[in-house]
Amino acid sequence: MILRTRIFAACLLVFWTSSAFSASVSAVKGQKVLINLDGDATSEGEEFYLINPSNNKRTAIIRIKQVKGSKALGEIVKGRASQGYSLQAKAPSKMSAEVSDPSSENSSDEETPVARNDMSYLRVVKDSYGITGSYIMNTMDADVSYKDGFGISHKTSTSMSGTGFGVGGFYDYAFSKDFVGRGYAAMEQFNVSGNASEAACADSTSCDAKINYLSLYGLIKWYPLQGKYRGWLGGGMGYMLALSKSSTALNESQISTNQVFTFAIGSDIQMSRKNYIPVSIEYNMFPASDTVKASMILIKGGWAWNL
């Protein structure tokens, strides 16, 4: 049984070694390391483990400070470096991962092999831009004023709902590894319809509002999870300019321009080091007035490019 366990561990070791990141340390000076990328790609801010090729153990954590052509300059965050050590990808969420001390005499020869490398996506948040499409669910509660056949003013209420679509583009600016600012512009539909108890909407009980907005948003996103699926939470505001409008429930002054408060949750699904799929669910709340309350739920998906 022990023999089979050792054979299995050795096979795993060979497998993971064969998938190693080919970049290696070409020189060490103090806390700085010069790296020969050997055709591999990396970005400033990414972190890596250094692997001792003699025993395939982690000896250090380094952070890339500068990339120029086939060379990169890194700094040692933790541990020890030496010429010839290879690099292994490290997710930012694993900052507390242990690094083996190469001088230790008590290290087990049967230590679990290092994790398989995955260089197919970025380990840091970068500036990016993209396009998105939206499926929009709209709701509105409105008080509608009307006059009866004797010219007497009355008021009734209606609850309306409906769906629309949107398309737009965004630019993400990375303030840090955890916070990103997003600017977003889109064409969005706000379509709702419903019934009133009285013939208050253009002498009918059927009420509606159909508005096409040019929407501009500013959003701050926080990334608590980073990896292949980068989860984020966000909040901000939007300004919506009505380009076209028609309504039997609202008057012109109520639908010219609007501001909204935006709350969002989303994820960046990384497809490569260059591209990712942005998906999110966003809630837009219109400031309530005495006569109208409205909101939008937007389900978004698209395609984005890292800079």
Side-chain angles (χ1 to χ4, degrees):
M1 181 66 180
I2 295 176
L3 179 60
R4 283 189 294 177
T5 300
R6 292 189 175 183
I7 293 174
F8 178 70
C11 290
L12 283 178
L13 186 61
V14 170
F15 172 75
W16 271 302
T17 301
S18 65
S19 64
F21 188 39
S22 57
S24 61
V25 176
S26 59
V28 180
K29 186 175 182 180
Q31 293 297 107
K32 305 293 184 181
V33 292
L34 183 62
I35 301 162
N36 182 7
L37 294 176
D38 195 20
D40 288 309
T42 187
S43 299
E44 294 178 11
E46 285 197 271
E47 293 186 350
F48 296 89
Y49 292 116
L50 289 187
I51 307 300
N52 185 342
S54 65
N55 55 21
N56 209 40
K57 293 180 181 178
R58 298 168 179 165
T59 65
I61 297 171
I62 65 168
R63 183 179 296 122
I64 302 299
K65 302 299 292 183
Q66 185 178 1
V67 180
K68 189 173 182 180
S70 62
K71 303 289 184 180
L73 180 66
E75 66 174 1
I76 300 172
V77 177
K78 180 180 180 181
R80 301 179 182 179
S82 184
Q83 184 177 354
Y85 282 11
S86 60
L87 275 67
Q88 180 196 62
K90 177 184 183 296
S93 59
K94 297 180 180 178
M95 289 293 292
S96 61
E98 293 184 359
V99 175
S100 301
D101 184 352
S103 64
S104 174
E105 298 294 336
N106 298 322
S107 297
S108 170
D109 291 336
E110 298 183 12
E111 185 176 342
T112 304
V114 294
R116 185 177 181 179
N117 297 296
D118 187 353
M119 293 302 298
S120 62
Y121 60 90
L122 286 176
R123 303 293 169 141
V124 292
V125 177
K126 297 186 66 178
D127 294 357
S128 62
Y129 66 96
I131 56 175
T132 61
S134 307
Y135 176 73
I136 308 171
M137 293 173 282
N138 309 300
T139 61
M140 177 183 288
D141 295 330
D143 292 336
V144 184
S145 297
Y146 68 101
K147 292 183 179 181
D148 62 20
F150 299 99
I152 300 174
S153 296
H154 298 274
K155 183 181 291 186
T156 189
S157 61
T158 178
S159 293
M160 299 176 285
S161 62
T163 60
F165 298 93
V167 61
F170 68 86
Y171 183 88
D172 278 2
Y173 178 79
F175 295 110
S176 68
K177 67 182 183 67
D178 297 321
F179 289 94
V180 169
R182 167 169 289 185
Y184 180 72
M187 297 289 295
E188 296 175 332
Q189 296 177 325
F190 187 93
N191 297 330
V192 291
S193 61
N195 295 316
S197 58
E198 305 291 338
C201 297
D203 298 325
S204 172
T205 58
S206 297
C207 305
D208 65 38
K210 299 178 180 179
I211 311 167
N212 290 320
Y213 282 114
L214 171 61
S215 305
L216 304 173
Y217 296 92
L219 199 69
I220 297 296
K221 303 184 339 183
W222 171 54
Y223 284 82
L225 299 175
Q226 296 195 31
K228 185 175 178 62
Y229 302 92
R230 296 192 304 226
W232 57 268
L233 301 172
M237 296 185 65
Y239 178 80
M240 306 177 73
L241 174 65
L243 299 181
S244 64
K245 53 196 174 182
S246 66
S247 177
T248 58
L250 306 176
N251 58 50
E252 288 290 322
S253 64
Q254 292 175 299
I255 54 178
S256 56
T257 60
N258 278 292
Q259 291 180 325
V260 292
F261 299 101
T262 301
F263 307 93
I265 181 171
S267 179
D268 300 338
I269 305 172
Q270 299 194 72
M271 306 304 292
S272 67
R273 298 179 65 84
K274 189 66 177 176
N275 300 106
Y276 65 89
I277 297 175
V279 295
S280 63
I281 298 176
E282 303 180 12
Y283 177 75
N284 285 355
M285 180 178 67
F286 293 79
S289 69
D290 294 335
T291 57
V292 180
K293 295 180 181 178
S295 65
M296 306 167 67
I297 296 176
L298 303 93
I299 301 174
K300 294 182 177 181
W303 187 257
W305 294 263
N306 292 310
L307 294 177

